[in-house]
Amino acid sequence: MSKSYNIAVMPGDGTGPEVVREGLKVLNAAASKFNYKLELTEFDYGGDRYLRTGEVLPAGAADELKTFDAIYLGAIGHPDVKPGILETGILLKLRFELDQYINLRPVKLYPGVESPLKDKGPKEIDYVVVRENTGGIYTGIGGTSMKGTAQEVAVQNMVYSRFQVERALRYSFEYARKFGKKSQGKGEANTLGLVGKTNVLTYVYDLWERAFHEIGKAEYPDVKREYYHVDATCMWMVKSPEWFDVLVTGNMFGDIITDLGAMTQGGMGIAAGGNINPEGVSMFEPIGGSAPKYTGQNVINPLAAICAGAMMLETLGEIEAAKAIENAVSKVTATKLKSMSAGKMGYSTSEVGDLVAGQF
Ligand code: IPM
Ligand code: MN
């Protein structure tokens, strides 16, 4: 009997709907071959709805989304809405309310894709960043005083509890054990690298570092442990990305280094991510944003959304289907696409979707 999954689809703003359409095209094309079925329910959360109704998310939205097996998101961000309103009101709110405490962001150069890193290919650029997704500076704890005066003071705190750190670390150790380079036959060890700043953030990353070694030693002795400062990590992401296997870090550092990682893998057109609650409902998205200037032109690259769809299948347990979609994307990047950039692919958005879907 085929398995059926209830998916909440949030196409969102800008080019979100265009890329989600292609993602669903591919997920549906693979469905009969891999014996699953997707029941889709669409939600119109995003900038247009906000401008129409004055409401970012209706009351009870998160509770309703909790009843689905997964959420498939296009993009949030509208040129007519002041920056911050939709991002915090929809994206961050859902990450927090659904307790999606992991943001999984693979940095993977697909064959045929040009990287700005000289002499680095798919073999060298192939690692995963686990970004803690509900803590750190993103909690918004802090405040201002004497705002608007010359004496204004602003504080935004980096907040981490042992609980938050431990669960992010355990997820990362498990991930490294299952999907690290040794497990994939690509290296000698499964390695988890903690990215921090223990030389300056002597409270927060000290907590991370102690928990990292304690948990690693007691529960994951088979996973090799490394520690890197975040600034040095940026250096090595450019110079020697092949050193990395699985990296784990706090929310803010993770946000920053994954944009750098995305560029090294060919740009936002191909970078996918998952906001994961391992015990609950997860949300998958291309990490590139709404790219409003390309809206409706059928030129945006849908591969990031397609890869986010594959990650969603993997998390739902459809591992074979997820792998097959990744392979289909690899074939298309290796043999067809001229570039990953909007308007320069040599194909339209829908044609790229057709090319990938055509492999099934
Ligand atoms: C991301 C984005 C978001 C973040 C913004 C839009 C709030 O940059 O998903 O990386 O900072 O997490
Ligand atoms: Mn970001």
Side-chain angles (χ1 to χ4, degrees):
M1 220 192 66
S2 81
K3 262 192 152 174
S4 180
Y5 300 104
N6 287 319
I7 308 295
V9 180
M10 292 172 42
D13 299 318
T15 52
E18 292 167 64
V19 297
V20 158
R21 195 176 308 131
E22 301 315 309
L24 292 174
K25 187 192 278 177
V26 172
L27 293 178
N28 282 326
S32 60
K33 182 163 177 190
F34 292 96
N35 213 26
Y36 64 83
K37 221 173 132 240
L38 303 179
E39 298 288 350
L40 307 175
T41 306
E42 199 169 309
F43 292 85
D44 66 350
Y45 305 144
D48 286 327
R49 183 180 202 282
Y50 171 69
L51 291 170
R52 213 173 51 236
T53 64
E55 192 177 59
V56 263
L57 272 185
D63 283 334
E64 187 177 5
L65 289 169
K66 278 182 194 163
T67 65
F68 288 82
D69 293 312
I71 304 164
Y72 190 44
L73 169 66
I76 298 291
H78 195 292
D80 302 336
V81 181
K82 202 172 135 227
I85 294 178
L86 301 172
E87 291 87 337
T88 52
I90 300 177
L91 190 61
L92 297 183
K93 186 156 192 222
L94 289 179
R95 285 177 183 170
F96 278 70
E97 291 216 345
L98 300 175
D99 204 17
Q100 292 163 340
Y101 60 88
I102 297 298
N103 196 327
L104 191 64
R105 295 188 162 180
V107 180
K108 180 179 162 77
L109 182 67
Y110 281 86
V113 177
E114 200 184 338
S115 170
L117 303 186
K118 192 157 122 323
D119 302 331
K120 302 293 178 189
K123 211 168 152 266
E124 286 78 27
I125 303 173
D126 182 16
Y127 58 96
V128 175
V129 178
V130 180
R131 166 186 174 187
E132 198 288 328
N133 211 30
T134 56
I137 308 178
Y138 277 72
T139 52
I141 291 177
T144 63
S145 170
M146 294 173 281
K147 192 166 177 178
T149 73
Q151 286 82 32
E152 177 169 349
V153 179
V155 180
Q156 201 123 17
N157 295 306
M158 184 180 279
V159 182
Y160 268 112
S161 65
R162 175 89 191 194
F163 167 77
Q164 285 178 312
V165 170
E166 282 199 9
R167 66 181 184 172
L169 288 172
R170 283 208 174 81
Y171 178 91
S172 306
F173 276 117
E174 292 286 342
Y175 192 91
R177 182 179 269 173
K178 269 199 216 117
F179 302 110
K181 285 192 168 164
K182 184 176 178 199
S183 296
Q184 289 189 53
K186 292 177 184 169
E188 308 265 281
N190 291 327
T191 309
L192 180 63
L194 171 64
V195 177
K197 188 74 186 174
T198 51
N199 51 349
V200 175
L201 303 177
T202 50
Y203 305 127
V204 167
Y205 279 98
D206 175 62
L207 166 58
W208 275 87
E209 195 181 31
R210 277 182 288 112
F212 177 63
H213 290 300
E214 283 165 25
I215 292 172
K217 206 167 158 191
E219 300 170 36
Y220 303 92
D222 51 307
V223 177
K224 195 172 157 204
R225 275 170 277 138
E226 305 267 13
Y227 169 82
Y228 315 103
H229 290 323
V230 64
D231 45 354
T233 303
C234 291
M235 205 163 74
W236 300 122
M237 281 172 75
V238 172
K239 196 166 186 292
S240 309
E242 63 276 11
W243 285 2
F244 297 134
D245 186 355
V246 181
L247 296 177
V248 59
T249 190
N251 210 343
M252 187 80 257
F253 291 167
D255 176 49
I256 297 167
I257 69 171
T258 54
D259 267 25
L260 173 58
M263 281 303 128
T264 66
Q265 68 179 113
M268 289 302 187
I270 183 84
N275 302 279
I276 295 177
N277 176 344
E279 298 87 31
V281 183
S282 302
M283 177 166 75
F284 299 84
E285 54 173 339
I287 70 180
S290 59
K293 71 175 178 184
Y294 297 118
T295 304
Q297 293 179 34
N298 203 19
V299 296
I300 195 84
N301 188 342
L303 288 179
I306 294 170
C307 292
M311 286 179 80
M312 177 166 79
L313 287 180
E314 185 183 274
T315 308
L316 289 169
E318 298 291 337
I319 313 262
E320 290 308 310
K323 273 209 195 104
I325 291 176
E326 277 212 4
N327 289 339
V329 168
S330 293
K331 269 206 191 125
V332 170
T333 58
T335 59
K336 303 283 186 186
L337 260 58
K338 287 211 225 57
S339 157
M340 290 299 114
S341 305
K344 297 183 186 148
M345 300 184 289
Y347 296 90
S348 68
T349 305
S350 48
E351 283 169 343
V352 174
D354 290 340
L355 286 170
V356 181
Q359 315 272 332
F360 294 97

